[in-house]
Amino acid sequence: MNALGQMGRFGNQVFQYAFLRICARQSGTSIQCSPWVGQKLFGHADPPVSVSLKPLVEKGSNLEWILEVVPEFTPYLEKTSGMEPGEVGIDAIAGGCEPGDLIGFFQWHSKAYLPHREYFRSLFQPCDDMRDWLDEPIRRMRARGKTIVAIHLRTGDYRWLPQFSWTMVVPPQWWADWLDTVWDKLDRPVLYLCSNDVASVRHWFAKFDPVTSEDMTVGPPLRLQGSGSGFYLDYYVMTQADVLGASNSSFSFSAAMLNERGSTFVRPSWDFSKKFTEFDPWDAEPLLFLRGGRKRLLKPYPTMLRIARDTSGIAGALAAALLYHPVGSLTVLAIRAKLAWTGHGWRGVRDMFLGRGRA
C-alpha cells in the first residue's frame, strides 16, 4: 500500500491498514507499505515498499464517487505505475485478492469486517511505553465518577469542505442539549471532550465540568515527539468510553469499532429534527452521506447553504458561500490540475478545464 498515509488522516488510515492486513491474511501473502504514524503508536514493523505491483483501485464505496469529481486520478495512476490499474472490492475481505498495490479508503459497511473483529482490534493496540500518557485521563475520570462520556466535535477541515455530502459540522449546543437529556440517567457521569479546537467549544459544556487533553500533566513518550501523534490521546479515550458521541467522521467511528466497553454509541443524523441517532459500530456505515444530490459525493449548492444556515446560522451560510466553498473548490481544482499534469502534461490540464474525459 504505497498510498498509506497519503489519502486522508488517521481514521482513514485505520481502515486502509486493516484492509491491507486482512487481504494479506486471507491471501496468504506478506505486506509492504509506506511509513505511517500507526507504526510508532502500535509497534508495527512493516517492511517498506520495495517492489512495483499493479495498482488495485477500490471498487465501490467512497473512491468510486471521488473518481466522478477527480477523473484525472486514473490516468495519473497509469502514468506513475506504468501499468493499467485493476480493481479490488469488498469480497477481498473474505477471499483475499491478487498481489497488487491497494488504493482506496475501504470504508464499507462495517458488517463486512465483523468476521475479523478480533483481528481488526488486535492491529491497533498501543505500545506499552505509552501507558502512563494514555492512562492519566482514564484514572482521573474514574476517580471522579463511574460512566465516562466522550464526545468528538469535529470542526476544522469540515468547515472548509461544505460542498461534500459527508461534511457535517454539528453545533456544540446540539451536543450540550443532548447531554441534558441523558446526563441524569447515567451513573455518576464524567464528560471528556475530544476536538481539534477544544478552546473554542469547551465553554458550551461548562455545566458538565468536562475533562480535556489540555488538563493532562503526563505527555507522550519522547520517541513520539515530533511525530504528529498528539491526537491519539483523544482517540484512545474514545476507545475506552462507556458512552461515545461520535462525529460523522472515520476518526471517531473507527474508535467506536475498537471500543470494547461502550454501551451506547450516538452520532449526528442528517434528519435535523431529531439531530442524533444511536448506532452499532459493527453494523453501520462509517460515514453518513446526504442523500438526494445528483452526485452522491456533492451536496446541491442550495442544500449546502441551507445546511450551513441550519447548523451555523446566517453567518455560517455566508461564510460557506463566500469563503469555504470557493476555497475548497479551488483546492480540489489544484489537486486535479496536479494529477492531470502528471498524467498527460499540458494536454491533460487543458482537457480538465474543457471538461473532456469525464465519466
Side-chain angles (χ1 to χ4, degrees), residues 19 22-23 25-27 89-97 112 115-116:
F19 185 78
I22 290 170
C23 278
R25 192 186 198 201
Q26 297 302 102
S27 305
I90 193 172
D91 54 322
I93 295 176
C97 65
H116 305 280

Side-chain angles (χ1 to χ4, degrees), residues 10 17 36-46 121-136 218-224 227 229 232-233 235-236 239-240 258:
F10 186 71
Y17 187 74
W36 69 296
V37 68
Q39 292 172 331
K40 291 182 177 291
L41 294 174
F42 311 121
H44 296 308
D46 305 309
R121 287 172 168 169
S122 74
L123 297 173
F124 307 107
Q125 299 302 310
C127 295
D128 290 341
D129 68 342
M130 297 162 56
R131 290 267 53 103
D132 289 345
W133 175 45
L134 301 178
D135 288 347
E136 184 190 11
V218 179
L222 288 176
R223 67 177 181 84
L224 290 181
S227 66
S229 57
Y232 185 70
L233 183 62
Y235 189 86
Y236 179 76
T239 70
Q240 303 300 306
L258 301 178

Side-chain angles (χ1 to χ4, degrees), residues 117-125 257 259-260 282:
R117 177 164 56 186
E118 297 310 312
Y119 182 62
F120 189 109
R121 287 172 168 169
S122 74
L123 297 173
F124 307 107
Q125 299 302 310
M257 292 176 72
N259 187 316
E260 298 185 49
W282 288 93

Side-chain angles (χ1 to χ4, degrees), residues 104-121:
F105 296 96
F106 311 113
Q107 292 173 31
W108 288 290
H109 193 286
S110 61
K111 198 170 185 178
Y113 288 104
L114 184 59
H116 305 280
R117 177 164 56 186
E118 297 310 312
Y119 182 62
F120 189 109
R121 287 172 168 169

Side-chain angles (χ1 to χ4, degrees), residues 148-275:
I148 295 178
V149 181
I151 293 181
H152 178 217
L153 298 101
R154 181 162 182 170
T155 55
D157 58 331
Y158 272 20
R159 292 193 185 279
W160 291 95
L161 298 170
Q163 67 269 47
F164 288 96
S165 60
W166 75 87
T167 53
M168 183 194 313
V169 180
V170 177
Q173 184 64 60
W174 289 12
W175 278 116
D177 291 344
W178 173 78
L179 281 175
D180 277 331
T181 68
V182 302
W183 197 254
D184 291 338
K185 302 174 185 177
L186 302 174
D187 187 3
R188 298 171 56 213
V190 184
L191 177 62
Y192 186 94
L193 292 180
C194 309
S195 177
N196 53 341
D197 189 8
V198 168
S200 70
V201 299
R202 187 169 190 162
H203 68 278
W204 291 97
F205 303 90
K207 65 183 292 187
F208 302 104
D209 192 18
V211 178
T212 76
S213 60
E214 295 180 347
D215 303 322
M216 301 302 113
T217 59
V218 179
L222 288 176
R223 67 177 181 84
L224 290 181
Q225 292 185 7
S227 66
S229 57
F231 66 85
Y232 185 70
L233 183 62
D234 281 357
Y235 189 86
Y236 179 76
V237 171
M238 287 192 286
T239 70
Q240 303 300 306
D242 302 292
V243 177
L244 175 58
S247 66
N248 191 33
S249 163
S250 59
F251 184 73
S252 43
F253 188 92
S254 61
M257 292 176 72
L258 301 178
N259 187 316
E260 298 185 49
R261 63 175 298 132
S263 59
T264 303
F265 299 90
V266 178
R267 63 176 172 178
S269 167
W270 282 110
D271 181 356
F272 291 166
S273 65
K274 63 179 181 180
K275 296 186 174 64

